[in-house]
Amino acid sequence: MKKFVEEKTRQIKFKLAGPGHRLASDGASSSSDDPSSASLHAALQRCEKQQSDNKGASSQQPKKQPVQSEPAATTSSQEKVDKRAQQISSRIFFTSTELDDEGSYPMSVWIEKSKAYIEEIKSTDEVAASIIAIKTLNQENEVNFANKILKKYVLNLINHPDEEKYKIIRLGNPNIQKLMDIQGALDFLLSIGFENKSITFEDNDEKKEESYLVHTPRENLDLKNVLESLESVKGLNFILDRNVRVIVPGPGGSEDEPDEFYEWTIQDMKKETKLRKNESDKNQQLRTRKMREEGKTKRKSDYTFIKVRLPDGVTIQATFGTGEKLADLRAFLDEKIQFAQKFFFVLLPSKNFEESEEEKTFLELDLFPSVTLMLKWCPDEGPDHSNLPLNQDN
């Protein structure tokens, strides 16, 4: 617009200037008497004023600030996972007949009771107490590793009683460091005659100190019996408590667990959907058996909470290990309820489990960490029975 007005003004000045005058000379001042010239000048001034106002406004307008990311949550995702796992584990109960306690407690309580029991045995049999600690307080892979290494040390002492190299264990050895992290392993070595000592030596004219376990034979300790104890002494056994609840519809039903205990949040569902989609994408790729096994291990869960809703509205809820089979759930229900007809399991919205699938584990069927199954009567088994005798004993 400005260029257009300037061009029109220049043309008018050229016409009014006459011969012998420049456009910028005083002769051009007579153009102010022409109405069309005045209007053009006014338009030019308005255009310049508007441009200057816009420029000023833009200079005064604050610059657009970059979008700031939300501050990091105070609780990391790993902490949330650990907290959820802790909440779940606090609701998983076990029983034990070996500790002379008929109670049902979370595993954390049994661990403390186990440690007290081991301390009692330690006063009379240190070797047995350490073996019980190894097989009770550690994971299965740690127990297997400890058994392998400890047997090797005991066999070396038996087969080579006079060789000094078998009487010294360097604590800086990677396998020994791993062994020291296993509860009860160090106590076992100390109980068969090893002692913790520091040895000073020179290396390149520099004195260094390193820790070792040095064995001194003990009287009245037969290492062959120790070797047998590693095989025969068992850890304390804890039995998963089903923690059965029978929920009868209407007033008077037994108290149910909170909904959040069994139902996932929207965030949980989104995470699970994304996880399963990623797994589906991976399954489209060529993978070795080892890669497939690693994928299964990452998603492993130890326990699952199952609700079974019967056709008459009664709901049974119980705890199972994910290594148990769907057939174990059927056997559990057959034990608790006297069914008059055959049934099958349904996972809403449309998954009917075939009889052959009941030989698969809950882990294989993705029935974890919590799920509700519907129990349906087989169609050829006659009419539905609304009243079934319930045995609510655990």
Side-chain angles (χ1 to χ4, degrees):
M1 180 66 182
K2 180 179 178 182
K3 291 183 178 179
F4 174 76
V5 173
E6 288 177 346
E7 181 63 25
K8 289 296 184 182
T9 303
R10 191 178 298 109
Q11 291 177 3
I12 292 172
K13 286 183 179 181
F14 180 76
K15 292 179 180 178
L16 296 178
H21 292 277
R22 295 182 178 179
L23 292 179
S25 66
D26 294 339
S29 61
S30 61
S31 63
S32 60
D33 297 333
D34 187 15
S36 61
S37 176
S39 62
L40 286 173
H41 276 290
L44 178 62
Q45 291 175 357
R46 286 196 302 272
C47 181
E48 290 177 346
K49 184 176 183 301
Q50 184 179 3
Q51 186 176 9
S52 62
D53 291 344
N54 291 339
K55 184 176 180 181
S58 63
S59 63
Q60 294 176 2
Q61 185 178 3
K63 294 182 180 180
K64 187 176 181 180
Q65 297 296 328
V67 178
Q68 295 182 353
S69 59
E70 295 182 359
T74 55
T75 305
S76 66
S77 58
Q78 183 60 41
E79 289 175 345
K80 290 180 179 179
V81 170
D82 293 340
K83 183 178 180 180
R84 181 176 176 83
Q86 186 177 3
Q87 290 174 345
I88 291 176
S89 64
S90 66
R91 291 181 176 269
I92 300 172
F93 297 90
F94 298 85
T95 60
S96 175
T97 58
E98 298 168 324
L99 292 180
D100 194 23
D101 192 327
E102 297 180 357
S104 179
Y105 309 104
M107 182 54 71
S108 58
V109 175
W110 283 119
I111 292 298
E112 295 304 318
K113 289 179 175 291
S114 299
K115 290 180 179 179
Y117 174 76
I118 290 169
E119 284 298 321
E120 290 180 7
I121 297 178
K122 194 173 182 179
S123 60
T124 57
D125 192 339
E126 293 183 357
V127 175
S130 61
I131 296 174
I132 293 173
I134 292 171
K135 296 184 178 181
T136 301
L137 306 178
N138 301 286
Q139 300 295 327
E140 183 179 358
N141 61 327
E142 295 175 326
V143 173
N144 293 335
F145 175 79
N147 276 343
K148 179 181 176 181
I149 300 298
L150 295 176
K151 284 180 183 179
K152 182 178 179 181
Y153 284 133
V154 175
L155 280 172
N156 286 337
L157 292 174
I158 294 173
N159 297 330
H160 311 280
D162 298 326
E163 294 192 32
E164 293 297 324
K165 66 178 182 179
Y166 294 116
K167 297 180 180 180
I168 298 177
I169 300 176
R170 185 171 64 89
L171 292 178
N173 184 294
N175 279 338
I176 297 304
Q177 290 181 352
K178 184 178 178 181
L179 186 67
M180 292 301 101
D181 292 333
I182 298 176
Q183 297 188 63
L186 178 59
D187 290 337
F188 174 83
L189 292 173
L190 296 177
S191 69
I192 64 173
F194 281 94
E195 297 178 7
N196 198 342
K197 294 184 178 181
S198 296
I199 298 178
T200 304
F201 61 95
E202 291 187 0
D203 184 14
N204 296 329
D205 298 332
E206 182 181 356
K207 287 188 177 181
K208 293 184 177 181
E209 187 175 1
E210 192 166 359
S211 296
Y212 291 85
L213 290 176
V214 181
H215 184 262
T216 302
R218 285 192 174 184
E219 296 182 1
N220 302 325
L221 180 64
D222 189 344
L223 292 178
K224 291 182 179 180
N225 291 337
V226 171
L227 195 62
E228 291 178 2
S229 297
L230 277 172
E231 291 286 351
S232 60
V233 175
K234 306 297 182 182
L236 299 176
N237 187 34
F238 304 104
I239 302 170
L240 177 65
D241 187 352
R242 297 294 186 201
N243 195 21
V244 180
R245 298 285 188 274
V246 178
I247 307 164
V248 180
S254 63
E255 184 180 357
D256 193 3
E257 297 287 355
D259 290 339
E260 61 269 17
F261 180 52
Y262 284 96
E263 296 180 5
W264 288 5
T265 64
I266 294 177
Q267 289 77 9
D268 293 331
M269 293 180 182
K270 287 181 178 179
K271 289 179 181 179
E272 181 66 15
T273 301
K274 184 177 180 181
L275 179 61
R276 297 194 181 192
K277 183 179 182 302
N278 291 340
E279 275 200 359
S280 178
D281 293 340
K282 288 181 181 179
N283 289 335
Q284 303 300 323
Q285 304 172 1
L286 293 176
R287 295 189 295 162
T288 64
R289 178 181 296 179
K290 182 178 180 181
M291 293 169 64
R292 291 194 297 270
E293 292 299 325
E294 287 177 352
K296 290 181 182 179
T297 303
K298 289 179 182 178
R299 294 198 58 212
K300 183 178 180 182
S301 179
D302 292 329
Y303 304 100
T304 181
F305 304 99
I306 304 292
K307 275 186 176 182
V308 180
R309 185 162 294 141
L310 306 183
D312 61 354
V314 174
T315 299
I316 305 241
Q317 59 187 41
T319 307
F320 286 83
T322 51
E324 295 183 86
K325 299 177 181 179
L326 187 58
D328 295 323
L329 175 60
R330 175 181 288 275
F332 165 77
L333 292 173
D334 284 333
E335 178 187 352
K336 295 296 178 183
I337 304 175
Q338 298 175 5
F339 288 109
Q341 58 194 103
K342 293 183 179 179
F343 63 88
F344 61 94
F345 295 108
V346 177
L347 178 63
L348 296 179
S350 60
K351 172 60 177 174
N352 295 346
F353 289 100
E354 302 292 339
E355 188 175 352
S356 59
E357 292 181 289
E358 293 188 14
E359 292 304 317
K360 294 183 179 180
T361 66
F362 292 110
L363 187 65
E364 292 172 328
L365 295 173
D366 281 340
L367 298 180
F368 67 90
S370 61
V371 68
T372 298
L373 296 175
M374 303 292 294
L375 187 147
K376 297 290 184 181
W377 306 123
C378 293
D380 57 347
E381 290 297 319
D384 187 3
H385 298 284
S386 57
N387 296 318
L388 298 174
L390 297 178
N391 177 11
Q392 298 190 27
D393 294 335
N394 290 350

